[in-house]
Amino acid sequence: MAGPGPSGASGDATYAGLVRPLLLPTWAVVGILMVLPVCLMAVYSFLTKEFRGGVIWDFTLAAYDQFFITRGLFGDEPARIEWTYIGIFWRSIWQAGLATLLCLFIGFPTAWFIATRPARSRGVWLFLITIPYWVNLLIRTVSLKFLIRETGPLNESLMAIGLIDTPLPLVNTNLAVQLGLFYSYLPFMVLPIYAAVERYNFALSEAAADLYASRLATLREVVLPVVKPGIVAGCILVFVPSLGAFLAPDLLGGAKTFMLGSLIDEQFKGSQGNWPFGAAVAMILMTLVMTVLILYARAQARGARR
Amino acid sequence: MTAAVDIHEAVKRYGSVTALHRVDLSISDNEFFTLLGPSGCGKTTLLRMIAGFEDVTEGEVRLFGENIARLEPNRRPVNTVFQHYALFPHMTVIENVAFGLKMKGVDAATRRGRAGRMLDMVHLSAFADRMPDQLSGGQQQRVALARALAPEPKVLLLDEPLSALDLKLRQAMRVELKQLQQDTGITFIFVTHDQEEALTMSDRIAVMSEGRVQQVGTARDIYEAPVNRFVADFIGETNLLEVDVARVEGGTAEVVLPGGHRITCPSATTAPGRHHLSIRPERISLSAEADLTATVDRVVYLGTDLQVMVRLEGGTPFSLRMQNAARVSPPEPGATVGLHLEEGAARLLAD
């Protein structure tokens, strides 16, 4: 295929000469901010830990071994699978998945609502959605803790109207973590779905109704499949950072809700840290996420070729 | 016989704006019926009311006798061909065509068979497994048609379905649509702003303007016997002259032309006074036996025809058409000519 040059053979030649230098900033950004750190992380995950943080340049699989395999408390038993970290992994996926679903169920109607307002007021609604995000994530998460704690406004007002006698123990529960994640990442769900719904041709819904589809069938057979790219983008944008989140689990959850983000966070903090192990957990997490995304993209490509 | 669609004193208001004023229409079974009018005349609103996409503010919409004005669109046995087709982009052509049957609960094998036959009918069998965006505009149009016909609706609604096609295709589709309507025996209600489309396909036409039905009739009726200025002017070309009515009796009036000459002509009104006279340009000839006298402004060459633009005494512009035949020598600009109104050229309007 011919290059998208402006005109003719000489134009293409000029274009080809320019394209590399012009792409340099992009390559620099991607290289320095993405490729290099990932490589560093990969290398660190194979190094030996130093006891007061940092690493010794001694290549070993110790970090991965620590993640997957246990030899008992004193290291003298036969090797078995270590379930602790896999359990944290699983719990993180579960928590992030629930938070994503929560975001989807609230975010989709919100996005739909905004996208179906008159064009003039949509900007205002989107602006309102983003306002809370001007405040630092840490402060927002702590505030949420104050709202839902036993003497917080939520419990006090529920008690005042007589719905409950004793305060609901919300802090340090899975629900609190999901609420935190939901609150942290909701706009990442709303914005891509909004973009998809805004482009949606409402004549398609009329066509479906005209062809005997009920409202539910129209949603299932036409609306959702057509805006699916926006939904998928939103789910990825919420799920991936939720998986590695550590503020919400740390502040709103307790020991029982320990998640991957906190695990990684701990490895790089203070003298008890273990940099290679933290790097290894990060690498495992990234590999998992990448694999799922690639499998999904492949399935999509197959569907589109059909 | 019960009408296929009977619209009874239907009113549509959006807040303080009235889009349709007490519309009464009766459309027979097996009819190719056209709603014709300029944009904003209410024709699409009326069609959407029959489909169920617009609420009826007042009045009734009856389908074979049953009032469907409050029925959801998915419960009405009518299907629509949308102006921009509205094909489902995530479904193949055959899935699009089978969608209505699927929603009606027809089993997969039956609907695949019937959708296949529909595609046959519109000559698109080879494209069954394509996606809509892989088709040309004309092909998409046929898919939309097949999709709307597949559930065997009692009435098919077509919302300017040809407007997005190029001229050649549009002309071919007119013939096909008419043929399809005759073959299937389904009532077609066709919305268009294109009078040529309306005149060539329709059994009957409702000419609409400003939310009102101005006239209903066959193509010949509305062209030859328009009732008012809007219809006379919208359908084809016409000359409108304000004249004094000397005498009106039955369907005939005697009117006084500018220059004093009197003629009798068919009339759409029984009221004396001042009315407009519609005179079709192709029914006027240059003649010594003149009803009107005029000065030639210019002659426009149109291929098969010549258009002669003249001015009547008093300066009123007027135009006539002559066939571009070998024996005809067109008049020179500046010349004074006599205009003879042929039998049926003039018609007195109601306004």
Side-chain angles (χ1 to χ4, degrees):
Chain A
M1 214 175 83
S7 68
S10 64
D12 280 352
T14 321
Y15 175 79
L18 271 174
V19 66
R20 279 161 205 281
L22 283 175
L23 277 175
L24 256 172
T26 311
W27 284 115
V29 167
V30 173
I32 295 170
L33 297 180
M34 206 187 95
V35 179
L36 194 66
V38 170
C39 292
L40 267 178
M41 193 71 85
V43 170
Y44 267 55
S45 72
F46 291 106
L47 295 179
T48 307
K49 79 164 172 172
E50 179 152 51
F51 277 97
R52 300 166 57 206
V55 287
I56 301 168
W57 282 80
D58 216 353
F59 284 90
T60 167
L61 284 172
Y64 292 93
D65 186 275
Q66 184 185 347
F67 190 93
F68 288 111
I69 292 162
T70 176
R71 293 179 183 78
L73 199 53
F74 303 104
D76 53 0
E77 294 166 30
R80 285 180 282 120
I81 295 177
E82 168 68 277
W83 290 107
T84 313
Y85 300 119
I86 297 174
I88 294 173
F89 226 97
W90 177 243
R91 184 158 62 225
S92 301
I93 291 172
W94 181 243
Q95 289 278 43
L98 283 177
T100 307
L101 275 183
L102 195 60
C103 280
L104 181 59
F105 277 106
I106 305 290
F108 186 85
T110 309
W112 186 273
F113 173 83
I114 297 173
T116 51
R117 290 314 96 195
R120 278 177 304 113
S121 55
R122 282 180 213 158
V124 177
W125 287 105
L126 286 176
F127 180 69
L128 290 177
I129 289 276
T130 56
I131 281 185
Y133 297 86
W134 299 3
V135 175
N136 179 285
L137 176 63
L138 177 65
I139 292 171
R140 270 186 290 133
T141 309
V142 174
S143 315
L144 191 61
K145 184 171 189 162
F146 277 84
L147 283 175
I148 62 171
R149 66 180 176 175
E150 302 205 348
T151 53
L154 180 69
N155 270 315
E156 299 213 315
S157 46
L158 283 178
M159 278 163 70
I161 60 173
L163 265 176
I164 49 172
D165 299 328
T166 47
L168 297 171
L170 289 170
V171 181
N172 300 345
T173 62
N174 286 336
L175 184 65
V177 176
Q178 276 147 30
L179 263 179
L181 293 175
F182 161 75
Y183 185 42
S184 305
Y185 301 119
L186 182 63
F188 296 127
M189 184 65 84
V190 173
L191 295 176
I193 296 180
Y194 164 78
V197 174
E198 205 221 359
R199 280 196 310 270
Y200 178 73
N201 174 11
F202 284 87
L204 295 180
S205 292
E206 287 189 349
D210 189 63
L211 293 161
Y212 314 107
S214 63
R215 278 158 199 269
L216 193 65
T218 302
L219 184 70
R220 189 185 63 228
E221 302 281 337
V222 177
V223 176
L224 289 180
V226 172
V227 303
K228 197 170 92 181
I231 295 176
V232 170
C235 287
I236 290 173
L237 287 179
V238 171
F239 182 75
V240 171
S242 294
L243 204 52
F246 61 92
L247 272 181
D250 260 12
L251 294 170
L252 300 167
K256 271 187 287 183
T257 56
F258 199 68
M259 280 175 67
L260 270 178
S262 314
L263 180 64
I264 298 172
D265 180 46
E266 262 184 9
Q267 306 312 318
F268 294 96
K269 261 191 202 157
S271 53
Q272 318 92 313
N274 181 341
W275 288 18
F277 184 64
V281 177
M283 289 307 294
I284 293 166
L285 177 64
M286 203 176 74
T287 310
L288 184 86
V289 170
M290 292 289 283
T291 311
V292 170
L293 290 186
I294 287 168
L295 285 179
Y296 176 77
R298 284 237 183 111
Q300 279 300 99
R302 253 200 309 282
R305 262 202 310 276
R306 190 168 54 106
Chain B
M1 206 183 83
T2 318
V5 176
D6 197 1
I7 293 155
H8 184 66
E9 298 192 343
V11 176
K12 177 68 189 178
R13 276 191 287 269
Y14 298 99
S16 60
V17 182
T18 306
L20 287 175
H21 304 265
R22 297 170 73 86
V23 170
D24 278 299
L25 268 185
S26 182
I27 300 164
S28 323
D29 200 6
N30 292 354
E31 193 170 22
F32 196 122
F33 192 91
T34 298
L35 301 172
L36 172 67
S39 58
C41 71
K43 59 189 192 297
T44 297
T45 304
L46 188 55
L47 191 84
R48 291 171 59 81
M49 269 174 25
I50 302 171
F53 303 136
E54 301 281 352
D55 296 333
V56 183
T57 313
E58 284 168 29
E60 288 181 2
V61 177
R62 293 199 209 107
L63 191 79
F64 292 96
E66 185 198 355
N67 185 11
I68 57 165
R70 300 279 172 268
L71 225 51
E72 291 280 309
N74 56 324
R75 302 196 185 280
R76 301 186 185 199
V78 299
N79 291 128
T80 308
V81 178
F82 291 84
Q83 186 173 9
H84 299 290
Y85 320 139
L87 298 179
F88 304 125
H90 59 295
M91 296 182 197
T92 61
V93 164
I94 192 131
E95 283 168 349
N96 262 283
V97 176
F99 186 82
L101 298 169
K102 186 179 176 188
M103 291 300 112
K104 275 180 125 181
V106 175
D107 67 89
T110 312
R111 64 181 189 245
R112 177 112 196 152
R114 203 186 301 170
R117 283 198 296 285
M118 285 295 146
L119 284 181
D120 258 351
M121 193 174 69
V122 296
H123 317 300
L124 281 177
S125 306
F127 298 88
D129 294 319
R130 298 268 189 102
M131 303 306 280
D133 61 3
Q134 298 170 312
L135 303 183
S136 71
Q139 289 166 337
Q140 291 186 18
Q141 213 277 324
R142 285 152 191 271
V143 176
L145 196 59
R147 182 179 72 174
L149 284 170
E152 294 175 345
K154 289 181 170 173
V155 174
L156 186 74
L157 309 174
L158 302 104
D159 184 8
E160 307 217 17
L162 307 184
S163 62
L165 304 180
D166 61 54
L167 183 66
K168 268 264 156 52
L169 207 52
R170 203 152 66 214
Q171 286 171 341
M173 279 307 288
R174 279 179 203 161
V175 180
E176 275 194 49
L177 270 181
K178 179 71 186 171
Q179 190 61 47
L180 204 60
Q181 191 266 330
Q182 283 169 348
D183 293 348
T184 55
I186 293 174
T187 307
F188 277 31
I189 303 179
F190 187 92
V191 161
T192 185
H193 62 268
D194 182 331
Q195 48 154 314
E196 204 179 310
E197 240 166 65
L199 295 177
T200 49
M201 290 191 289
S202 320
D203 294 323
R204 281 195 308 152
I205 300 167
V207 183
M208 294 183 67
S209 161
E210 292 176 345
R212 286 187 173 86
V213 173
Q214 305 289 337
Q215 187 172 1
V216 182
T218 63
R220 185 173 284 272
D221 286 342
I222 60 167
Y223 185 79
E224 310 233 338
V227 294
N228 59 25
R229 269 190 290 167
F230 178 82
V231 177
D233 200 34
F234 190 72
I235 310 292
E237 284 174 71
T238 199
N239 294 292
L240 290 174
L241 281 185
E242 206 176 345
V243 293
D244 281 317
V245 178
R247 196 167 55 80
V248 55
E249 204 178 285
T252 314
E254 188 179 326
V255 301
V256 186
L257 293 175
H261 204 90
R262 285 179 178 231
I263 59 163
T264 50
C265 64
S267 171
T269 179
T270 52
R274 269 181 96 70
H275 286 284
H276 281 84
L277 193 66
S278 162
I279 304 167
R280 293 291 183 194
E282 72 278 11
R283 301 280 176 85
I284 305 169
S285 55
L286 298 179
S287 166
E289 266 177 72
D291 296 306
L292 290 160
T293 319
T295 313
V296 176
D297 263 355
R298 61 202 166 91
V299 178
V300 183
Y301 182 80
L302 298 173
T304 55
D305 280 359
L306 296 173
Q307 185 181 23
V308 185
M309 324 270 268
V310 300
R311 265 171 206 287
L312 302 183
E313 292 164 75
T316 315
F318 209 78
S319 98
L320 60 135
R321 283 203 181 213
M322 306 165 59
Q323 263 193 3
N324 188 13
R327 60 191 164 76
V328 175
S329 52
E332 292 297 318
T336 304
V337 291
L339 308 180
H340 174 66
L341 307 185
E342 289 165 16
E343 187 69 33
R347 184 177 163 82
L348 192 67
L349 304 175
D351 55 353

